[in-house]
Amino acid sequence: MTNKKRFDWILLIILFSYFMILLDNSIIFTGTVKIAQDLNLNQQTLSWVSSAYSLTFGGFLLLGGRAGDLFGRRRVFEIGLVIFGLGSLIVGLAVNAPMIIAARAFQGIGSAILAPTTLAILMDTYTGPARVRAIAYYGAMAGIGASVSLVIGGVFASLLTWRVGFFINVPISIWMFTLAIRYLKADRGQTGRLDWVGTITSLIGMSALVYSIVGTWMQVPALILAIVMLGIFVLQEHRTAQPIMPLRLFADRERVGAYIGRFLYLGSMLGFWFITPQLMQNQLGFSALMAGVAFFPLTIVNFIIALQVARLTAKWGNGGLLVTGIALTLIGMFWMSFFTVTIGYWLGIAAPMVVIGIGQGLSLSPFTAAGVAHTKGTDAGAASGVVNVMHQLGGSVGLSILVAVQGLSNKPLVGFRQAILTGSGLLLFALLAAIFLIMPGEKQH
């Protein structure tokens, strides 16, 4: 009984910490208008409030994942909480553009440490059916957290202030830190040293790659720098005895399929989460609060389905569940591409959201499970880092693509429909990755 209770506390620490990261990734979407008004930010400066976070989050993820393997999960997790909590406090207190952008970048480093470390702690703590169930909840949190964040962001921005969304992380971080000391076992990590060449080249390469996507000038030179640095990084990982990202992670067909599929799936979903609230505000006259609440059909269904994932995985297998989930998400997304003001919210947005919610609930947990499948304990942090890199990079790339497609048309509604169709295309490729890589890879084992 005591053991079960202990595991429950550990799962609470993992899920709450992950939720904090997701909250700050999405809360910006519904709070941007108010932030711009309060701090007198123009559109270009405002975009950096989100981009600065994405830049350091994406850049430090591989380092964050490997650091837990080498220096001990609990110690690295606690460092991540301190950085994230302090960053959140400074964001909430921000009085000008440089302060909020710098604080968001600092906060992103905390997220880059927490995201892979929480998943690695999960892998260390649970085995067998308990691990399947824990991964199901962790994967479900990715979808639920992002959707709920839109609602919470709308509530805070409309009824209180956008600052509350960041201040709330401070007591949660302190609570998580206290629970970590009490319930997470202290581990010394592995013997070995950090691959400094790999660390620096991955940091510069990943940051430059994210900048080439979200930046506003010198994007081509940034992309060239990213290609050169990531090329050196891969060569270094091939040569060194203690890589920050072991290339053997990519020798497994199931994991490779999960990385590609997650990249494409999150690209589609993040674009959807970003442009849909804007559509509801611009075309249907919804307030920021109502646009957030309008995501409830997706959020509630997602939550209900996610609780069934562990049971359904035992029945259909991880790959079968994933193919079903991606296919349903694709159907819901394609349905939404027919939206017009005449069709209205209930049939044009809410109904397809229900289908997307079912698909999302069935997809994100199996993606996570496949991404860390068949890894040894020594590689758990590195594998978790790659899963989160694909999540973050896929989201940034997909969001940029969908926003660019939306901007090609002078008519906002036509632009929205084209963007949603593009998102459907990304989901189709994710489905093919699941059918031709993940399912055969799962059968091999």
Side-chain angles (χ1 to χ4, degrees), residues 117-250:
T117 308
T118 50
L119 184 53
I121 290 169
L122 185 155
M123 295 290 290
D124 285 349
T125 308
Y126 299 93
T127 55
R131 181 185 282 186
V132 173
R133 191 164 55 251
I135 287 178
Y137 292 145
Y138 184 92
M141 186 59 80
I144 295 165
S147 307
V148 168
S149 300
L150 294 172
V151 180
I152 293 172
V155 170
F156 287 157
S158 300
L159 304 181
L160 299 165
T161 165
W162 59 269
R163 296 178 190 273
V164 177
F166 296 97
F167 284 143
I168 201 170
N169 288 328
V170 180
I172 295 175
S173 296
I174 294 167
W175 183 43
M176 290 296 106
F177 193 94
T178 310
L179 290 179
I181 292 170
R182 188 170 176 186
Y183 292 103
L184 295 183
K185 69 173 190 222
D187 56 323
R188 296 189 176 191
Q190 305 162 18
T191 52
R193 56 188 176 78
L194 192 63
D195 166 23
W196 283 107
V197 175
T199 299
I200 292 164
T201 51
S202 75
L203 195 56
I204 296 170
M206 291 293 295
S207 300
L209 182 60
V210 174
Y211 181 83
S212 72
I213 299 160
V214 301
T216 45
W217 62 285
M218 300 283 282
Q219 287 170 284
V220 174
L223 181 59
I224 293 166
L225 177 65
I227 292 166
V228 171
M229 282 295 168
L230 291 174
I232 297 169
F233 169 66
V234 171
L235 282 173
Q236 169 66 11
E237 299 311 276
H238 179 66
R239 276 180 11 209
T240 185
Q242 295 180 325
I244 190 173
M245 185 187 74
L247 296 182
R248 59 182 171 269
L249 291 174
F250 299 92

Side-chain angles (χ1 to χ4, degrees), residues 92-115:
L93 294 171
V95 292
N96 55 35
M99 188 174 175
I100 193 170
I101 290 168
R104 285 286 284 166
F106 187 66
Q107 202 184 23
I109 297 171
S111 293
I113 295 170
L114 289 175

Side-chain angles (χ1 to χ4, degrees), residues 35-372:
I35 293 170
Q37 288 170 358
D38 282 6
L39 302 181
N40 298 315
L41 307 181
N42 60 33
Q43 199 61 37
Q44 189 174 353
T45 312
L46 182 63
S47 71
W48 273 104
V49 175
S50 184
S51 298
Y53 180 82
S54 299
L55 201 63
T56 51
F57 191 3
F60 281 83
L61 268 169
L62 290 175
L63 173 59
R66 192 61 177 160
D69 289 340
L70 289 175
F71 308 122
R73 309 251 192 259
R74 193 179 92 174
R75 184 186 303 160
V76 170
F77 176 73
E78 287 166 353
I79 291 168
L81 280 174
V82 170
I83 293 171
F84 186 83
L86 193 56
S88 298
L89 178 65
I90 300 168
V91 173
L93 294 171
V95 292
N96 55 35
M99 188 174 175
I100 193 170
I101 290 168
R104 285 286 284 166
F106 187 66
Q107 202 184 23
I109 297 171
S111 293
I113 295 170
L114 289 175
T117 308
T118 50
L119 184 53
I121 290 169
L122 185 155
M123 295 290 290
D124 285 349
T125 308
Y126 299 93
T127 55
R131 181 185 282 186
V132 173
R133 191 164 55 251
I135 287 178
Y137 292 145
Y138 184 92
M141 186 59 80
I144 295 165
S147 307
V148 168
S149 300
L150 294 172
V151 180
I152 293 172
V155 170
F156 287 157
S158 300
L159 304 181
L160 299 165
T161 165
W162 59 269
R163 296 178 190 273
V164 177
F166 296 97
F167 284 143
I168 201 170
N169 288 328
V170 180
I172 295 175
S173 296
I174 294 167
W175 183 43
M176 290 296 106
F177 193 94
T178 310
L179 290 179
I181 292 170
R182 188 170 176 186
Y183 292 103
L184 295 183
K185 69 173 190 222
D187 56 323
R188 296 189 176 191
Q190 305 162 18
T191 52
R193 56 188 176 78
L194 192 63
D195 166 23
W196 283 107
V197 175
T199 299
I200 292 164
T201 51
S202 75
L203 195 56
I204 296 170
M206 291 293 295
S207 300
L209 182 60
V210 174
Y211 181 83
S212 72
I213 299 160
V214 301
T216 45
W217 62 285
M218 300 283 282
Q219 287 170 284
V220 174
L223 181 59
I224 293 166
L225 177 65
I227 292 166
V228 171
M229 282 295 168
L230 291 174
I232 297 169
F233 169 66
V234 171
L235 282 173
Q236 169 66 11
E237 299 311 276
H238 179 66
R239 276 180 11 209
T240 185
Q242 295 180 325
I244 190 173
M245 185 187 74
L247 296 182
R248 59 182 171 269
L249 291 174
F250 299 92
D252 185 276
R253 197 172 178 180
E254 185 177 354
R255 286 198 297 269
V256 170
Y259 299 149
I260 294 168
R262 193 181 192 98
F263 181 92
L264 294 164
Y265 191 92
L266 261 295
S268 177
M269 292 313 297
L270 199 74
F272 161 77
W273 291 325
F274 181 76
I275 64 177
T276 307
Q278 293 180 4
L279 173 91
M280 291 189 281
Q281 290 175 71
N282 297 333
Q283 297 295 316
L284 298 173
F286 285 18
S287 64
L289 173 59
M290 280 306 298
V293 171
F295 267 81
F296 268 135
L298 187 152
T299 309
I300 293 166
V301 170
N302 187 351
F303 182 75
I304 294 165
I305 295 296
L307 295 177
Q308 313 302 318
V309 165
R311 184 175 58 82
L312 292 171
T313 303
K315 192 174 178 181
W316 294 349
N318 201 61
L321 202 61
L322 189 50
V323 167
T324 307
I326 301 170
L328 284 170
T329 313
L330 173 56
I331 291 165
M333 194 77 93
F334 185 67
W335 180 356
M336 194 174 279
S337 71
F338 292 97
F339 171 81
T340 61
V341 178
T342 316
I343 292 172
Y345 168 74
W346 289 107
L347 192 59
I349 295 176
M353 265 189 185
V354 171
V355 182
I356 292 170
I358 296 169
Q360 190 175 283
L362 294 175
S363 299
L364 288 170
S365 301
F367 265 135
T368 305
V372 293

